[in-house]
Amino acid sequence: MITSSFTPKFYIERADVYIFPRNIMQAVTIKLFFGFLFVFLVWTLYVENEITSRSRNSDNIDDLLESATRLERLLEFERKKIQELTEDVKQIRARKKSWHLTMEEMVSPELKHWKEPIPVLVFSCNRAQAVRDHVQKLIKYRPSKEQFPIIVTQDCDNENVKIEVQKFGDQVQYIKHLAGDKANITIPPSHRQFTAYYRIARHYKLALNHVFVDKGYSSVIITEDDLDIAPDFFSYFSNTRYLLENDERLWCVTAWNDNGKLENIDVNAADKLYRSDFFAGLGWMMSSKTWHELEPIWPVGFWDDWMRDPLRRKDRQCIRPEVSRTGMMAYGKEGASKGQFFSKHLAKIKVNDKYTDFAKINLDYLLPGNFEKKTHFEVMKQAVEMGIDDVAAFVLLPENKGKSVRVIYDENVDYIRKADKLHVMHDFKAGVPRTAYDGIVTCFINGIRIYLVPDRTKVPGYNPDWAVPAAFGE
């Protein structure tokens, strides 16, 4: 199990960073003590000897004065050494104070540049035009064929899809599996209407094994043929990959913001990223380590909801953007879900259209300790607590732009009602609201940051029993 106490891996190779043993302070204190003791003993013995000697020869005043001068110089030298040691102690204390921050909240710059190839695995079935449009975008925006090989995996026996993929020549790799309708898939009689979800789960397992087992890649970006992508899609994934490697509480990076409609986001904060307890999918990256954990127990159907189950998630989180790096093309209406949420939510997700070079941004703020502190400050210190009806009036006043507010919720129906007023998605998966981090869901309306925050006296954590009553609909 992953616990809340975690220290990510890090490496530091800078000459100006020192590692001190736990007992360094005792060592320096002892050194200071014996330094003082040594000076005192030398001074006492020297003076005693000089007094005894000079008392026998009181006429030699010049020698006595010269000895006193030497002693003064010796004491001045030792005083300077003690002062230097004192300064060293201050520096040691300062370094020790920041050492744990370095351990917990920094990753070596050299580890942030991910050098291994990250393939893009495109899932397809029978939408030839969708595959064509999606792959064209991938090729247009990827910086390198070697760094980001594109693998199109097809499940259905649709010849037009194969033809479209082959038109891209050596720009794309193509793999074909035995079609799901010809495979011996066992589907419970009560789930016959969900047959497509069982075929998709099988397809995912076959394709991911191809990437991680047959090809031996260490990570993968998973997309589907109905997704649009942003110009900085590859910058986003390549520069967040190191976080997966250095943070065991992180198990995916997603390009999708479930509440990413234009009315709910800050389009001027395209570089802003979050941690989230909610697995979104729809353009996401994971490591081979995660796949090797999941593959032996991979479900026969509904793989995405299965991943959201607490037994699989194990309190792990994903990185997600303020502004989505993927969007839903019109082809999404024709998918296995029969267009569920398409018109009301999916089609309205804003795809980022301005390039962000994430290589120039220090993303260590997304490491667990950093992000927890940052979120607590922004939500509990900066934001003003307010009722949901007051927020509705507050966001209409131009003078309030740039401010932030928090709205408290105490149970699932209360959350649903407040989410509806903010026009954010109100449903739960395994009790987790979409985009939530520690129960907190954020949106941005008319220049004002709004946080939906659980009342911890009544909502101590996620409740898997939380659901949307039928009266509220989808």
Side-chain angles (χ1 to χ4, degrees), residues 396-412:
L396 296 177
L397 301 177
E399 61 266 28
N400 290 328
K401 287 188 176 181
K403 297 179 181 179
S404 58
V405 300
R406 66 177 181 271
V407 178
I408 307 300
Y409 67 89
D410 56 21
E411 39 84 31
N412 63 325

Side-chain angles (χ1 to χ4, degrees), residues 26 62 212 268 317 344 352 367 389 421 435:
Q26 294 136 327
D62 291 339
F212 289 125
N268 295 315
Q317 298 169 330
K344 188 175 181 181
N352 183 53
L367 291 170
D389 293 328
K421 290 196 174 185
T435 77

Side-chain angles (χ1 to χ4, degrees), residues 77-258:
F77 175 77
E78 291 298 331
R79 186 190 66 78
K80 289 181 179 180
K81 286 185 66 176
I82 290 170
Q83 185 176 8
E84 290 173 358
L85 280 171
T86 302
E87 290 299 319
D88 287 343
V89 169
K90 290 180 180 178
Q91 292 180 17
I92 290 169
R93 284 174 175 162
R95 288 182 185 277
K96 280 179 69 65
K97 185 176 181 180
S98 64
W99 181 247
H100 293 294
L101 293 177
T102 303
M103 289 274 289
E104 296 171 2
E105 302 173 9
M106 288 185 63
V107 177
S108 167
E110 290 160 0
L111 291 179
K112 296 178 182 181
H113 179 62
W114 193 256
K115 298 178 182 179
E116 297 179 28
I118 307 176
V120 181
L121 184 62
V122 181
F123 283 84
S124 67
C125 182
N126 56 9
R127 298 181 292 196
Q129 291 182 341
V131 170
R132 180 199 62 204
D133 292 350
H134 181 70
V135 174
Q136 281 178 345
K137 279 285 186 74
L138 289 172
I139 293 174
K140 177 182 178 180
Y141 292 134
R142 73 173 172 181
S144 164
K145 182 173 81 171
E146 291 71 31
Q147 182 65 20
F148 299 100
I150 299 170
I151 304 172
V152 177
T153 173
Q154 185 184 5
D155 185 48
C156 310
D157 288 334
N158 185 291
E159 191 66 19
N160 290 331
V161 168
K162 180 180 178 180
I163 292 171
E164 287 297 336
V165 175
Q166 289 178 334
K167 288 180 181 178
F168 292 105
D170 62 0
Q171 294 293 310
V172 174
Q173 301 171 37
Y174 170 76
I175 56 174
K176 174 73 172 66
H177 307 283
L178 176 67
D181 59 352
K182 296 178 180 177
N184 185 22
I185 301 176
T186 301
I187 302 172
S190 60
H191 278 194
R192 294 295 182 190
Q193 70 270 35
F194 302 121
T195 295
Y197 292 100
Y198 286 82
R199 292 175 181 172
I200 291 171
R202 169 185 171 271
H203 188 190
Y204 263 73
K205 185 172 184 177
L206 291 171
L208 288 169
N209 270 333
H210 174 79
V211 168
F212 289 125
V213 179
D214 299 341
K215 294 293 187 179
Y217 288 112
S218 62
S219 48
V220 68
I221 300 169
I222 297 167
T223 69
E224 298 171 20
D225 57 13
D226 56 5
L227 292 179
D228 192 7
I229 68 168
D232 56 1
F233 176 89
F234 291 99
S235 175
Y236 173 68
F237 281 114
S238 62
N239 289 290
T240 52
R241 176 59 181 86
Y242 83 95
L243 294 168
L244 286 178
E245 199 70 13
N246 290 274
D247 181 358
E248 292 181 1
R249 289 187 59 191
L250 200 65
W251 71 330
C252 92
V253 176
T254 178
W256 185 266
N257 176 1
D258 276 292

